Amino acid sequence: MKRILFVCHGNICRSPMAEFILKALVKAKGQESQYHIESAAVSREEIGNPIYPPAKRCLQQHGVWFDPNKRARQVTGADYDRFDRIICMDASNLRLIERIIPQDPEGKIHLMMSYTGVGRDVADPWYTGDFEETFQDLLEGCEAISSSF
């Protein structure tokens, strides 16, 4: 089983969107039993909060199912052993995750867009307001991830 954890700052926009986009992609391929996919935050700011409403709307507009009971949680040190890949949305997430997981001896921690061959960040729609642009980046990244295993 491939175990993937998506990480963003608060776990209410980008990382849950990526979680449910990848779940939809693997389900469409009939491979959902081969994956375990979750998402989490590097910060504690949004712990317990649901997916941000504009992120939900964007997923719905694209026909991507999401769990309405999804709640934000923070990454833990134990997640390093639980997941094969820990995929961060931006360079800030990479820096902050080092406080929780100080070492990556197995090379599990990556930037999302690195799977597409581009080293740039996924823009945070909390600040940009552009959930569609973020969705498209996440879709591109998730398609690349699902092909990389």
Side-chain angles (χ1 to χ4, degrees):
M1 173 155 309
K2 300 154 187 101
R3 303 179 68 77
I4 298 170
L5 179 67
F6 290 108
V7 177
C8 70
H9 186 78
N11 192 216
I12 61 168
C13 297
R14 293 172 294 173
S15 61
M17 288 175 72
E19 173 185 347
F20 293 108
I21 290 168
L22 186 57
K23 284 179 176 179
L25 290 173
V26 299
K27 183 176 181 176
K29 293 179 180 181
Q31 299 174 338
E32 58 193 318
S33 66
Q34 298 172 32
Y35 286 82
H36 177 82
I37 305 160
E38 291 183 30
S39 63
V42 289
S43 79
R44 300 183 49 82
E45 296 168 33
E46 299 289 346
I47 291 175
N49 288 335
I51 300 172
Y52 191 49
K56 288 181 188 179
R57 281 193 296 278
C58 187
L59 290 171
Q60 289 170 327
Q61 290 168 348
H62 288 278
V64 175
W65 177 88
F66 59 88
D67 181 351
N69 297 313
K70 167 73 181 168
R71 294 291 181 262
R73 74 169 184 88
Q74 187 179 28
V75 174
T76 67
D79 286 327
Y80 192 80
D81 293 328
R82 292 184 55 227
F83 292 93
D84 302 313
R85 304 234 176 120
I86 299 173
I87 302 171
C88 297
M89 298 298 140
D90 62 36
S92 174
N93 303 154
L94 281 175
R95 283 189 305 277
L96 291 171
I97 205 167
E98 289 176 354
R99 295 178 183 173
I100 302 165
I101 303 170
Q103 298 192 16
D104 181 16
E106 297 177 46
K108 294 181 178 186
I109 302 172
H110 305 268
L111 270 176
M112 177 67 157
M113 295 310 288
S114 68
Y115 288 90
T116 69
V118 180
R120 67 178 172 80
D121 294 344
V122 175
D124 190 341
W126 177 266
Y127 298 104
T128 68
D130 193 339
F131 286 83
E132 182 60 28
E133 177 186 16
T134 297
F135 181 91
Q136 293 304 322
D137 280 350
L138 295 173
L139 179 60
E140 182 182 0
C142 286
E143 287 172 338
I145 289 164
S146 69
S147 299
S148 71
F149 275 103

